[in-house]
Amino acid sequence: MSVESTYNRYAAFYDFIYGSVLQDGRKKLARLISKEPGRHLLEIGVGSGLMLPLYPDHLSITGVDISNQMLAKARKRAGLLRNKTITLHHVDGENGGFPDESFDHVVLPYVYSVTPDPDHLIAESFRVCKSGGNIWILNHFSGFGTVWDYVGLIVKSFPDSVGFRSDFSYEDYVVSKGWQVEEIHKANVLGLSRIIKVRKPLAA
Ligand SMILES: C[S@@+](CC[C@H](N)C(=O)[O-])C[C@H]1O[C@@H](n2cnc3c(N)ncnc32)[C@H](O)[C@@H]1O
């Protein structure tokens, strides 16, 4: 089953399962973004739109998702947020079709370990982010001595069936990339998630 159909199935009960349990991370991420300059933000994997109410009102927000059922929930939520500028698209964030250097912030909340090809998603995030802009990753990672170091051994790690990869190593998916990581913050109960701020270098 594809990631798209998995999340189409999840849509009806996603907020109930993953709403409050992951909300601490969303709130912290929005607070960190609010301290940074730049008006144009892209959220890839906007899901049911749980981040949308948390972003500061001055931002121009573009949200994309591969699942139209999740996006339908986000549209409903966005419709209630009259103070905010929000545009939503049903597209694959690995191939969003936005021009180069379009956004000051590219935000990936709980999607890096979900998307079919994480490296492709990151390459696309760098492409559409302005030089000097930020790529924000909020995700669980194994390698921090948390429960994620063991879950991957027990649960088979398939984003298609479970909805995410459980064995998602910080070493492989962050450290080895050689990015300009500016900040790392713990989030969620027992520090199960990390917020990582990566700076896209200024053009030479
Ligand atoms: C775990 S949910 C996270 C949703 C939301 N960001 C949140 O904080 O609750 C992952 C979402 O990413 C979407 N997704 C996965 N891969 C994607 C891709 N390549 N492009 C766009 N959306 C994607 C899924 O459809 C799903 O809605």
Side-chain angles (χ1 to χ4, degrees), residues 3 7 14 26 43-48 50-51 64-67 70 91-94 109-111 114-116 121:
V3 170
Y7 276 90
Y14 179 85
R26 295 187 189 95
E43 181 180 337
I44 301 181
V46 67
S48 61
L50 289 168
M51 285 292 301
V64 302
D65 206 284
I66 205 171
S67 152
M70 291 293 277
V91 292
D92 181 349
E94 292 186 20
Y110 308 118
V111 66
V114 170
T115 195
L121 184 76

Side-chain angles (χ1 to χ4, degrees), residues 153-171:
L153 303 175
I154 302 161
V155 181
K156 226 176 176 195
S157 188
F158 282 135
D160 314 4
S161 48
V162 190
F164 58 86
R165 290 174 188 78
S166 46
D167 56 345
F168 201 66
S169 135
Y170 185 73
E171 177 63 36

Side-chain angles (χ1 to χ4, degrees), residues 25 28-29 32 36 135-144 146 170-171 173-176 179-188 191-199:
K28 279 188 181 150
L29 175 57
L32 290 164
E36 297 286 332
I135 294 145
W136 301 88
I137 298 168
L138 166 57
N139 219 90
H140 66 268
F141 292 96
S142 51
F144 284 111
T146 68
Y170 185 73
E171 177 63 36
Y173 286 96
V174 178
V175 177
S176 71
W179 298 330
Q180 194 174 323
V181 174
E182 292 209 327
E183 295 175 26
I184 306 178
H185 304 269
K186 281 186 192 174
N188 294 326
L192 284 180
S193 307
R194 291 291 183 282
I195 297 170
I196 299 163
K197 177 186 170 194
V198 181
R199 177 82 70 188

